[in-house]
Amino acid sequence: MKRPPLIVLAAFVVVGLVAAGALWRLGDMPQQSGPVTTVADAAAPAAADEFGGPFSLIDQDGTRRTDMDFRGKYMLIFFGYTNCPDVCPTTLAVESEALSKLGARADRIVPILISVDPMRDTPERLKAYMSAFGPNFVGLTGTAEEIEQAADAYEVYYKAHLDGRFGGAEGYSVDHTGNVYLMSPEGKFVSYYSPGIRPDELAADLMMKVAPAP
């Protein structure tokens, strides 16, 4: 029987490797970046008037901060954690670049990361992590109960894999909602942004929604 040309065999090998890589990535994606959330399937809060609420947490300097401390400013709130390998640093980097495009309006916005991993995210750890994104970024942590209360107020899902499946006791991952929420100076819901938004898109929308300083 005539053997197929080498170029055909090589093509089959390449296709097989690509397919295997795709399957590996699909299987690995949930534990690395939380639930797969796209722009199409992320949903706005069901009842915007009731969305958000009070929180009392500890910032990266060890100071207790409540939502009332940010009145008069817009809050750009994201729930994530410092060990997150891709979604969290990417989202915060997008926020940082978008804010750099806003000029004076950026002074009216406080970008906030609320940790969904209070066991590892101490104030010291948050301080080192948040410094990479800009001096105005605030990292908040607290007890498991305090984090749960804040997440419930913002309708955020999160789940830590503590059974050792994904890296053992120290290297566990945390599934979490990937949306970013813009809250008004009065603490009311204004808008939300899905994972995958580009810096220029975020900047353009914030430019329209964030009022200049009075």
Side-chain angles (χ1 to χ4, degrees):
M1 184 174 64
K2 187 177 181 180
R3 293 183 179 180
L6 288 177
I7 189 170
V8 174
L9 291 176
F12 276 114
V13 171
V14 170
V15 170
L17 290 172
V18 170
L23 288 173
W24 176 85
R25 179 59 183 155
L26 286 173
D28 188 58
M29 191 178 296
Q31 62 261 27
Q32 288 207 7
S33 58
V36 179
T37 308
T38 66
V39 173
D41 65 16
D49 290 342
E50 300 175 2
F51 185 79
F55 58 77
S56 179
L57 298 165
I58 303 297
D59 71 10
Q60 67 260 48
D61 294 317
T63 302
R64 182 160 290 277
R65 308 291 293 274
T66 74
D67 57 299
M68 297 302 296
D69 292 330
F70 304 102
R71 288 295 181 267
K73 299 271 191 178
Y74 291 85
M75 295 186 293
L76 202 57
I77 295 180
F78 174 65
F79 286 76
Y81 66 113
T82 63
N83 272 53
C84 180
D86 43 25
V87 170
C88 300
T90 299
T91 299
L92 295 174
V94 166
E95 289 183 25
S96 181
E97 186 174 345
L99 291 173
S100 72
K101 300 174 183 291
L102 294 184
R105 276 180 169 82
D107 295 336
R108 300 212 66 200
I109 302 173
V110 181
I112 298 172
L113 169 70
I114 297 179
S115 174
V116 292
D117 187 14
M119 288 194 296
R120 290 181 296 188
D121 283 346
T122 62
E124 293 78 16
R125 189 162 189 162
L126 281 173
K127 190 177 184 70
Y129 186 78
M130 302 308 291
S131 66
F133 303 103
N136 296 327
F137 278 71
V138 174
L140 297 176
T141 188
T143 66
E145 292 75 17
E146 289 168 341
I147 297 299
E148 182 179 2
Q149 179 182 351
D152 285 347
Y154 286 85
E155 301 176 9
V156 165
Y157 164 85
Y158 67 99
K159 178 179 174 58
H161 293 285
L162 300 176
D163 53 12
R165 286 183 293 163
F166 307 131
E170 292 301 320
Y172 63 86
S173 66
V174 185
D175 294 346
H176 62 93
T177 300
N179 291 344
V180 176
Y181 303 102
L182 178 66
M183 308 298 288
S184 76
E186 297 75 39
K188 302 296 183 182
F189 174 77
V190 176
S191 187
Y192 80 104
Y193 306 101
S194 302
I197 190 169
R198 299 193 306 269
D200 57 333
E201 294 174 326
L202 178 57
D205 197 72
L206 291 174
M207 186 68 73
M208 291 189 300
K209 291 184 168 67
V210 173

